[in-house]
Amino acid sequence: MFDGKKGHGLDNDPVLDTENGLPIGEKNGYYVDETGAVPGESFTYGNSTYAKIQRFAGRFKIEQRGIERVPENERTDGNLHKIGTMWLAANMVVSSFAIGALAVPIFYLGFVDALLTIFFINILGIFPVCFFSGFGPRFGLRQMVLSRFFYGFYGVKIIAFFNVLACIGWSAVNVIVGAQILNAVNSNVPGWAGIIIIAACTFFVTLFGYKIVHAYEFWSWIPCFIVFLIVLGEFAHSGQFSNIPMGVGESEAGSVLSFAASVFGFATGWTSYAADYTVYQPATTSRTKVFLWTFAGLIFPLCFTEMLGLAVVTASVNNPAVAEGYNTNIGVLLAYVLAPLGRFGQFCLVVLALSIIGNNCPNIYSVTFSLQVMARWTASIPRFIWTFVGTVVYCAVAIPGYSHFASVLENFMLLIGYWLAIYEGIALTEHFLFKRGITGYDIAIYRDAARLPPGIAAIVAFLFGVMGAVMGMAQVWFVGPVGTLIGTGYGGDVGFPLAFAFSAVSYAVLRTVEKRWAGR
């Protein structure tokens, strides 16, 4: 039985205690049932520093749970529409508008070909997010913990490291964009002040955890959507839209593929967080319904904002002021569109700047779980403390980056973004080929390194995926040998499909050998 006097014992327990057969969590203090679930009240038992901190946090209704499995009797959030509004708010933001605006000035695409690319590539990119969201209710595990079934107990730490880089890096890129918009509204607001304002608001939402994140995202998309409709109306009234014709030949193929890579990377970037926002849904929740709510919550804001960004930036071909605004930053471009509205237009810009809060909430909430799976000592630090640490770190990156290396930071994030295709290639192959569906998971072993996959096949397949990404990428800093063969000039980016294919095929072969050798 659980003895609260022993202390919290939160130790990222990898194995069972071979001496008495108990889970190490129970041996050290908090109660762990036979399925590896940890009751919420057990975090506060004992007189350890950890327990005292958790009790203090509990007074303010701060979520105390981190990477521990949610018991079925605590999965009581039956509102499926929250899943949709969660992703709706996270993507009804200026960052996705900026993705669509890349099509003309960066990739020299026409309107129709860019529009079709946005639609079809977003469908492809969000599929893994929708798929893995259904695992949260079924298993009560965060996405990074669930990934132990694909990468093993130790191999998942590599994935967690990349996810930490992604969460911190994109949070910094996003908050710089928000600060640029605030500066465009009022030049007396320096970049560092805008960054701190947005980051502080994001911190207070994510500090309180799952319920408050969902509650904030439930409403925050509405003002952003209204402002984007105003942008649409103002731009349509200006008559500056230009239906740029499609290109042809090799250059068109290369440009479409490279733009598709940007769209796909943004859409699929939520995959490594997917189950984090459904773990409190009842275990009996239909996976199909979760998939459809997630799909609806993602596809509408992504397509709407990106297509709007595309439409607005078409004016740059005939209007030097629009081109100059885009070349300065996305905030200046939006300020140009909303300028006829005067003070109200400035208010709209402030709303769009604050949309970054909704964009960064998933990054900063989920980075904590990646940090907790990294090591035993990181798991012993409460989730909400890691939320603060993550916020400080991305501000420390963004403040100097605002003036000195914003474009360098963004290019670096685009360069490492291929890891998501590798993650998906290995995870989906394991699920369909080796687990053979949802019934193939013995969820009780999620903390047992000796019974989880060894992870060797996954790590080697990951390296093969990196090789595929390098061969196919076409980025500012590097164009791979295959990417060079596509299109003209800067080539065409096929890094994502090659990374997926290389990792999936190599994993299928290596995992077959690994299972025969290790028996698990």
Side-chain angles (χ1 to χ4, degrees):
M1 298 295 292
F2 173 71
D3 181 2
K5 295 180 180 179
K6 292 182 181 178
H8 69 90
L10 187 59
D11 204 23
N12 198 23
D13 317 311
V15 295
L16 297 180
D17 177 13
T18 55
E19 202 172 300
N20 57 25
L22 294 174
I24 287 182
E26 184 171 318
K27 172 187 172 186
N28 288 342
Y30 65 65
Y31 176 73
V32 183
D33 69 18
E34 65 276 5
T35 67
V38 179
E41 66 272 12
S42 68
F43 295 116
T44 62
Y45 290 146
N47 295 315
S48 65
T49 302
Y50 174 88
K52 292 176 181 177
I53 293 173
Q54 290 282 31
R55 282 196 293 271
F56 178 78
R59 294 175 188 173
F60 301 96
K61 305 298 182 183
I62 293 174
E63 183 187 11
Q64 297 158 314
R65 186 180 302 279
I67 59 173
E68 304 80 20
R69 188 183 183 207
V70 182
E72 287 195 21
N73 65 343
E74 294 185 30
R75 296 180 221 163
T76 57
D77 182 12
N79 296 319
L80 282 169
H81 59 273
K82 285 185 179 179
I83 302 171
T85 54
M86 166 72 207
W87 297 117
L88 179 59
N91 293 279
M92 187 67 71
V93 294
V94 71
S95 299
S96 51
F97 176 91
I99 292 293
L102 294 172
V104 176
I106 303 300
F107 299 108
Y108 306 104
L109 292 175
F111 179 72
V112 174
D113 46 345
L115 197 76
L116 294 173
T117 302
I118 288 171
F119 180 71
F120 288 108
I121 297 301
N122 271 311
I123 292 176
L124 183 64
I126 66 176
F127 176 85
V129 190
C130 303
F131 181 75
F132 285 116
S133 291
F135 285 57
R138 183 65 177 265
F139 298 137
L141 290 176
R142 311 289 186 174
Q143 189 68 37
M144 279 297 106
V145 182
L146 176 69
S147 300
R148 290 174 177 172
F149 289 92
F150 314 134
Y151 289 86
F153 188 88
Y154 299 105
V156 78
K157 299 177 191 297
I158 298 174
I159 300 304
F161 173 76
F162 277 94
N163 203 39
V164 169
L165 286 181
C167 291
I168 297 297
W170 282 118
S171 293
V173 170
N174 294 338
V175 81
I176 287 173
V177 172
Q180 288 173 339
I181 295 176
L182 291 176
N183 183 258
V185 173
N186 186 348
S187 59
N188 292 323
V189 179
W192 63 266
I195 288 168
I196 291 175
I197 291 169
I198 296 170
C201 294
T202 306
F203 169 71
F204 282 114
V205 174
T206 55
L207 171 68
F208 289 92
Y210 180 95
K211 290 183 179 180
I212 301 303
V213 169
H214 271 285
Y216 177 81
E217 302 286 48
F218 183 81
W219 298 105
S220 68
W221 67 273
I222 298 174
C224 298
F225 180 50
I226 292 172
V227 170
F228 277 125
L229 287 177
I230 293 171
V231 171
L232 174 61
E234 276 299 306
F235 182 71
H237 183 262
S238 73
Q240 296 189 59
F241 169 75
S242 177
N243 187 7
I244 304 170
M246 293 175 56
V248 294
E250 291 185 12
S251 61
E252 169 72 2
S255 295
V256 167
L257 287 169
S258 294
F259 180 56
S262 298
V263 173
F264 180 85
F266 189 88
T268 207
W270 306 113
T271 302
S272 55
Y273 318 160
D276 296 353
Y277 302 95
T278 57
V279 290
Y280 288 99
Q281 292 281 332
T284 55
T285 303
S286 166
R287 290 175 60 224
T288 300
K289 290 181 179 179
V290 172
F291 184 101
L292 293 175
W293 273 104
T294 306
F295 183 88
L298 285 165
I299 195 65
F300 172 67
L302 285 171
C303 286
F304 173 71
T305 54
E306 290 175 12
M307 289 176 181
L308 179 59
L310 164 66
V312 169
V313 86
T314 60
S316 64
V317 298
N318 296 317
N319 189 332
V322 175
E324 183 179 351
Y326 178 84
N327 291 331
T328 304
N329 60 63
I330 204 71
V332 174
L333 175 62
L334 285 164
Y336 175 83
V337 176
L338 294 171
L341 298 178
R343 293 283 187 181
F344 180 70
Q346 292 180 334
F347 171 77
C348 290
L349 284 173
V350 172
V351 172
L352 290 181
L354 296 180
S355 74
I356 298 298
I357 299 170
N359 195 196
N360 273 355
C361 276
N363 291 331
I364 299 308
Y365 179 69
S366 290
V367 72
T368 60
F369 310 123
S370 294
L371 288 164
Q372 285 190 321
V373 302
M374 293 287 286
R376 295 186 180 188
W377 71 269
T378 59
S380 67
I381 298 175
R383 176 202 64 81
F384 44 86
I385 293 179
W386 281 125
T387 300
F388 176 74
V389 172
T391 300
V392 171
V393 172
Y394 86 77
C395 284
V397 174
I399 289 173
Y402 180 91
S403 302
H404 301 292
F405 55 87
S407 61
V408 173
L409 178 61
E410 185 168 1
N411 288 332
F412 173 73
M413 295 310 302
L414 291 171
L415 192 66
I416 69 168
Y418 299 98
W419 81 272
L420 288 160
I422 302 172
Y423 174 84
E424 293 162 1
I426 293 172
L428 292 173
T429 302
E430 174 68 27
H431 176 80
F432 288 108
L433 194 59
F434 297 101
K435 293 289 190 292
R436 298 187 182 278
I438 203 76
T439 57
Y441 294 80
D442 181 3
I443 209 63
I445 69 170
Y446 81 93
R447 303 181 317 138
D448 189 353
R451 297 172 65 191
L452 287 164
I456 298 172
I459 293 171
V460 177
F462 188 91
L463 296 176
F464 273 101
V466 171
M467 181 172 66
V470 171
M471 291 179 66
M473 70 172 58
Q475 293 290 335
V476 173
W477 291 347
F478 180 78
V479 180
V482 176
T484 305
L485 299 176
I486 302 170
T488 58
Y490 291 104
D493 197 323
V494 288
F496 279 104
L498 286 186
F500 183 94
F502 276 46
S503 59
V505 173
S506 61
Y507 183 74
V509 175
L510 293 166
R511 180 71 173 125
T512 301
V513 175
E514 183 182 66
K515 285 195 74 172
R516 290 177 181 174
W517 165 69
R520 53 187 170 96

